[in-house]
Amino acid sequence: MSDLLTHETFSRHAHTKFRVRLEAASPVELELVEISELRLSPGQEQFAIVFRGPNEMFLSQGGRSFEHDQMGQFELFIVPISQDQQGYCYEAVFNRVRE
């Protein structure tokens, strides 16, 4: 996992747009709408982020290729978690060992 995919980096890019590449369609634009608190324990860090996308395009659970103007290209595993009038929400959870 990229060193750029940190709580600090995502926090700096809250409420910005990310593009998700799809095989047979144009990229879908998702907005980073929520970053949880960073939880640190001995040897471990945890946080989650939530993206909102359009109601017209549902993304199933799975690994996706993301692009961001400042962060570049990276892969995330996202899970759909809700839908409202504004669109579908997707969550990515980070749970990693730290030194």
Side-chain angles (χ1 to χ4, degrees), residues 48-64:
I49 59 177
V50 176
F51 296 95
R52 177 174 284 123
N55 269 319
E56 300 77 32
M57 176 63 75
F58 173 76
L59 301 175
S60 60
Q61 170 178 307
R64 302 290 178 177

Side-chain angles (χ1 to χ4, degrees), residues 39-46 96 98:
R39 294 183 179 172
L40 299 174
S41 59
Q44 188 174 356
E45 66 178 61
Q46 302 171 330
R96 66 183 112 183
R98 59 187 201 121

Side-chain angles (χ1 to χ4, degrees), residues 21-36:
R21 295 260 174 221
L22 303 175
E23 288 182 20
S26 299
V28 175
E29 197 168 79
L30 303 181
E31 180 181 358
L32 179 56
V33 294
E34 184 179 324
I35 300 104
S36 73

